[in-house]
Structure formats: C-alpha cells, structure tokens
C-alpha cells in the first residue's frame, strides 16, 4: 500500500471504531464483539506506530471511550490501574518487565499480581 492508501485505511478504521464505541459506550448496544473491536484498535496502533505523521488528534488511541449518561464520578481511595488488552503470555511478561522498570526493581524480583476477569463488557 502506498501512503495515500494507508491514510485512507486509517481514516476508515477511525470511523469504524468511533461508530463501535458510540454504540457500546453511549447507547449501551454493542455492534461487534470485544475481540473484533480490539483487532480494529490493534490495526490502528500498528499503522500509527509505523506512520506517526498520519496520527490525527482525534485518533481513538488518543482518547478514552465515552461514558453513558447517568453515571456518577467516584474517586477510588487506591488508584485503579489496568493492564491493556492481553492475548498472550508474552504480553503479560512484557507488562511485568514494565512494572519492574517503573519501580526500579531487579528483573528477577517476584511480584504478586491480583487479577480479575473483565466483567464490564
């Protein structure tokens, strides 16, 4: 693909993800599976990594999904952090490496994690 075709593909992916996110976050009526949505976002991230000059300010990778009206904001006593979408053990290992680097811990230091299934969709 030439750069113009890549730019058009990226625009199409942005539109698809925007439509999907609106249906999911605002209407509370998903129009595709989480796995299908994740694959759209993954493709966007790969293109943006290879062509950072094509990233638009409203890219889905630069914003958080919408929030359905009626929810109240709450502040957690302990901040809640989230591991991004993970589909392999290697990605979990990469997360562990990032945590250790951020905490300035040795690579062989054992860390216990608490995990729970995604229950919000």
């Amino acid at each position: 693909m030439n750069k113009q075709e890549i730019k058009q593909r990226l625009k199409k992916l942005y539109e698809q993800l925007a439509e999907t996110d609106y249906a999911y976050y605002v209407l509370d009526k998903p129009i595709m599976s989480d796995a299908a949505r994740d694959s759209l976002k993954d493709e966007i991230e790969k293109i943006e990594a290879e062509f950072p000059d094509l990233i638009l300010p409203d890219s889905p990778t630069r914003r958080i999904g919408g929030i359905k009206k009626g929810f109240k904001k709450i502040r957690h006593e302990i901040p809640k952090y989230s591991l991004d979408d993970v589909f392999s053990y290697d990605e979990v290992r990469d997360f562990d490496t990032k945590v250790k680097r951020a905490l300035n811990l040795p690579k062989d230091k054992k860390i216990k994690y608490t995990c729970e299934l995604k229950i919000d969709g």
Side-chain angles (χ1 to χ4, degrees):
M1 270 197 272
N2 65 40
K3 199 158 185 176
Q4 185 59 33
E5 291 170 326
I6 292 167
K7 190 175 183 177
Q8 289 173 338
R9 176 65 181 153
L10 195 57
K11 183 177 186 273
K12 177 74 172 167
L13 289 166
Y14 283 177
E15 291 168 358
Q16 285 180 286
L17 205 53
E19 180 184 357
T20 299
D21 286 353
Y22 182 78
Y24 181 88
Y25 292 111
V26 178
L27 302 178
D28 196 22
K29 295 183 186 286
I31 57 174
M32 68 173 57
S33 70
D34 287 349
R37 184 203 178 277
D38 290 345
S39 71
L40 290 176
K41 192 167 181 186
D42 287 346
E43 186 177 350
I44 290 170
E45 289 171 349
K46 287 176 186 168
I47 293 171
E48 289 180 344
E50 190 172 344
F51 301 95
D53 58 307
L54 296 182
I55 301 172
L56 297 177
D58 65 340
S59 167
T61 62
R62 304 294 183 258
R63 60 182 158 76
I64 298 172
I67 298 174
K68 188 176 179 181
K69 291 180 182 177
F71 283 112
K72 294 180 182 176
K73 287 186 177 183
I74 64 164
R75 184 179 183 108
H76 294 278
E77 284 185 38
I78 300 171
K80 304 295 179 187
Y81 297 102
S82 178
L83 173 62
D84 288 333
D85 297 326
V86 174
F87 300 101
S88 72
Y89 185 71
D90 288 339
E91 291 173 308
V92 174
R93 225 182 353 252
D94 291 345
F95 174 77
D96 181 65
T97 299
K98 289 177 189 176
V99 168
K100 289 173 183 172
R101 190 177 313 126
L103 296 174
N104 203 24
L105 296 173
K107 290 180 182 181
D108 61 345
K109 173 75 175 168
K110 299 266 189 226
I111 297 178
K112 289 185 179 183
Y113 294 98
T114 301
C115 302
E116 58 185 57
L117 295 174
K118 181 179 178 185
I119 57 172
D120 64 348

